[in-house]
Amino acid sequence: MRWIWIDRFVEFESGVRAQAIKNVTLAEEHLHDHFPGFPIMPGSLMIEGMAQTGGILLGESNQFRYIVVLAKVPKMQFHSWVQPGDTLVYSTELVDRRDEGGTVTCTAKVGDRLVAEGEIMFAHLKSDDPAIQGIDQKNFVFNSGLMQVFQVGKAGDGSVSPS
């Protein structure tokens, strides 16, 4: 099963920055166990949401020539928690892009409250690499197929929304 930890992009500047939101609700099964009586979104899932936002930004900047995989989280600091009813805003900025991969800086906020900030590194794999030929690539989140789900600034009928 593939887990998507962003609901939609609200801003996307190719090769520069992206902003996505995640609406946190009690409909999410993990919140019933983390923690009983005081549900909060696990930090690891917030990291994944920031990684999905940044990974799609990096992948799109290369026209999805590579398979983008999360390689390393060298720096992440949590300042607060997120509860059901909160809307998380993930902001990422592409600070390094090369053939081997790339790096984004990222923040997670609820309103004006900074929840987390850090840096995430990604590696590029070539789709024709024999080492990954047996891997079902539909399970990679950072691919071009997901971009249609997150059309920025478009209404449900495909027309451009007024700003």
Side-chain angles (χ1 to χ4, degrees), residues 50-131:
M50 288 181 275
Q52 289 178 5
T53 304
I56 292 169
L57 174 65
L58 175 62
E60 190 276 339
S61 74
N62 290 308
Q63 292 78 47
F64 296 100
R65 282 191 313 248
Y66 306 104
I67 296 170
V68 177
V69 295
L70 192 152
K72 184 178 176 180
V73 182
K75 180 176 143 185
M76 190 62 61
Q77 185 173 11
F78 291 91
H79 303 282
S80 186
W81 59 80
V82 178
Q83 296 184 290
D86 287 342
T87 297
L88 265 168
V89 178
Y90 298 127
S91 299
T92 61
E93 186 174 325
L94 188 58
V95 294
D96 183 35
R97 183 181 76 184
R98 50 182 87 180
D99 287 342
E100 301 84 29
T103 302
V104 298
T105 57
C106 49
T107 62
K109 290 183 175 183
V110 173
D112 291 333
R113 178 171 46 96
L114 181 62
V115 174
E117 62 184 327
E119 185 176 282
I120 299 175
M121 298 174 74
F122 301 94
H124 287 147
L125 304 176
K126 293 187 178 179
S127 57
D128 60 353
D129 185 332

Side-chain angles (χ1 to χ4, degrees), residues 25-41:
T25 73
L26 270 177
E28 298 170 51
E29 190 66 32
H30 61 276
L31 291 174
H32 295 272
D33 298 320
H34 193 270
F35 297 99
F38 186 70
I40 60 171
M41 187 168 182

